[in-house]
Amino acid sequence: MTALRASKTVRTTSDQKAKDDRVKYNELYSGLITEIGQNHDKDAYKRVFKEFYPRVKSYLASLGIDHEKLDDIAQDVMTTIWRKAHQYDVSKAAPVTWIFTIARNRYIDACIRKKNHNFTEQDASYFMVEFEDPDVSYSRLNNQEIIQDMLKKLPETQLELVKMAYFKDYSHREISEIMGWPLGTVKSRLRVALQKMKKLLGHNIL
C-alpha cells in the first residue's frame, strides 16, 4: 500500500509539473504573439518562427503536402502569423492551437486549389483534418459532428454543389451541364458555398 501511494504521488507530481510547464509555455508564446501584434516586435517573431516553423512544416508534411510546395506553404503560415498577430486573442485559444489552425486552413486552401484530391463524405477529412501534433488539443476541430452540422446549415443548392464538386468529384463543367447553369455561375456559387463553410469552421477569425 505504501509503495502504491508513493507511485500515485510521483505520478501526480509528474502530471502537475507537465501542466505547469504547459502553462508557462503558453504564457511565453502568447506574450510573444501579443508583442508581434501590438509592436511588430521582430525579435519576438524570430523566437516564434524558430519554435514553430519546423513543427508547422512537419505537420503539413504529415498531411501529404507536396514536397515542392511544403516550404512555400509553411512560410505562408509563418507570414500569416506576422500579419494576423493583432487578431490573436489569448482568451479564445492557446498559441499552439491558433498557429496550427492557421496551418490547417492553409492545408485546406491548398487542397481546394488541387484539381484532383481524395475526399469522402464519411470522414470529411478534406475540410476537417486531425492535428498530428501531440501538443494540439482542439477537440472542436477533430469532431466529425461539426462537419455534419455545418453541411446541414448550407442551403440545399449550395449543399448539392459541394457534394457534386468534392464528394462525387464532378468537374465544374459537368456540374454546369447537370444543373443547367453557365460555367461562371457554377464557379461563383461554389465559391460562396466554400466561403460559408470556412466561416462555419472558424476561418473568419484568421
Side-chain angles (χ1 to χ4, degrees), residues 88-149:
Y88 174 65
D89 186 343
V90 67
S91 69
K92 292 183 178 180
V96 175
T97 300
W98 185 72
I99 290 171
F100 275 82
T101 300
I102 294 173
R104 180 188 66 100
N105 292 345
R106 293 299 172 269
Y107 163 76
I108 292 173
D109 290 340
C111 287
I112 289 174
R113 287 194 295 267
K114 289 175 65 175
K115 291 182 179 180
N116 299 309
H117 49 76
N118 296 319
F119 180 70
T120 62
E121 186 173 3
Q122 286 72 29
D123 64 17
S125 60
Y126 188 71
F127 290 98
M128 186 70 75
V129 294
E130 183 173 347
F131 288 122
E132 297 293 337
D133 190 277
D135 288 339
V136 177
S137 177
Y138 200 19
S139 60
R140 185 177 67 85
L141 296 178
N142 294 333
N143 193 340
Q144 291 184 17
E145 292 179 1
I146 297 295
I147 287 292
Q148 296 170 3
D149 182 62

Side-chain angles (χ1 to χ4, degrees), residues 169-194:
D169 205 25
Y170 289 162
S171 70
H172 290 173
R173 189 168 298 281
E174 288 173 329
I175 296 173
S176 173
E177 294 173 357
I178 292 171
M179 302 299 289
W181 297 339
L183 185 59
T185 300
V186 171
K187 292 181 178 179
S188 62
R189 291 185 178 181
L190 185 57
R191 188 181 307 114
V192 170
L194 292 175

Side-chain angles (χ1 to χ4, degrees), residues 9-180:
T9 299
V10 170
R11 186 165 58 249
T12 300
T13 302
S14 177
D15 291 344
Q16 185 60 47
K17 185 179 184 303
K19 183 177 179 180
D20 292 343
D21 288 344
R22 179 63 56 81
V23 169
K24 291 178 181 178
Y25 183 89
N26 286 340
E27 288 177 347
L28 171 61
Y29 286 97
S30 293
L32 291 174
I33 294 172
T34 299
E35 281 296 312
I36 296 169
Q38 294 180 352
N39 304 314
H40 289 86
D41 190 318
K42 292 183 179 180
D43 289 334
Y45 179 70
K46 288 178 181 178
R47 294 181 66 181
V48 171
F49 190 98
K50 182 178 180 180
E51 171 68 17
F52 286 100
Y53 178 76
R55 295 174 63 184
V56 166
K57 187 175 178 180
S58 177
Y59 167 64
L60 292 170
S62 74
L63 298 177
I65 292 292
D66 295 337
H67 181 73
E68 61 270 21
K69 297 179 180 179
L70 192 57
D71 281 321
D72 288 342
I73 297 176
Q75 288 280 358
D76 183 41
V77 172
M78 302 311 296
T79 300
T80 301
I81 293 171
W82 173 264
R83 291 189 297 104
K84 300 290 188 178
H86 66 283
Q87 296 182 5
Y88 174 65
D89 186 343
V90 67
S91 69
K92 292 183 178 180
V96 175
T97 300
W98 185 72
I99 290 171
F100 275 82
T101 300
I102 294 173
R104 180 188 66 100
N105 292 345
R106 293 299 172 269
Y107 163 76
I108 292 173
D109 290 340
C111 287
I112 289 174
R113 287 194 295 267
K114 289 175 65 175
K115 291 182 179 180
N116 299 309
H117 49 76
N118 296 319
F119 180 70
T120 62
E121 186 173 3
Q122 286 72 29
D123 64 17
S125 60
Y126 188 71
F127 290 98
M128 186 70 75
V129 294
E130 183 173 347
F131 288 122
E132 297 293 337
D133 190 277
D135 288 339
V136 177
S137 177
Y138 200 19
S139 60
R140 185 177 67 85
L141 296 178
N142 294 333
N143 193 340
Q144 291 184 17
E145 292 179 1
I146 297 295
I147 287 292
Q148 296 170 3
D149 182 62
M150 176 192 67
L151 292 173
K152 291 177 182 178
K153 292 179 180 178
L154 288 178
E156 184 176 352
T157 301
Q158 290 183 355
L159 176 59
E160 188 60 30
L161 270 176
V162 169
K163 284 186 175 182
M164 284 192 290
Y166 298 109
F167 299 165
K168 301 176 182 178
D169 205 25
Y170 289 162
S171 70
H172 290 173
R173 189 168 298 281
E174 288 173 329
I175 296 173
S176 173
E177 294 173 357
I178 292 171
M179 302 299 289

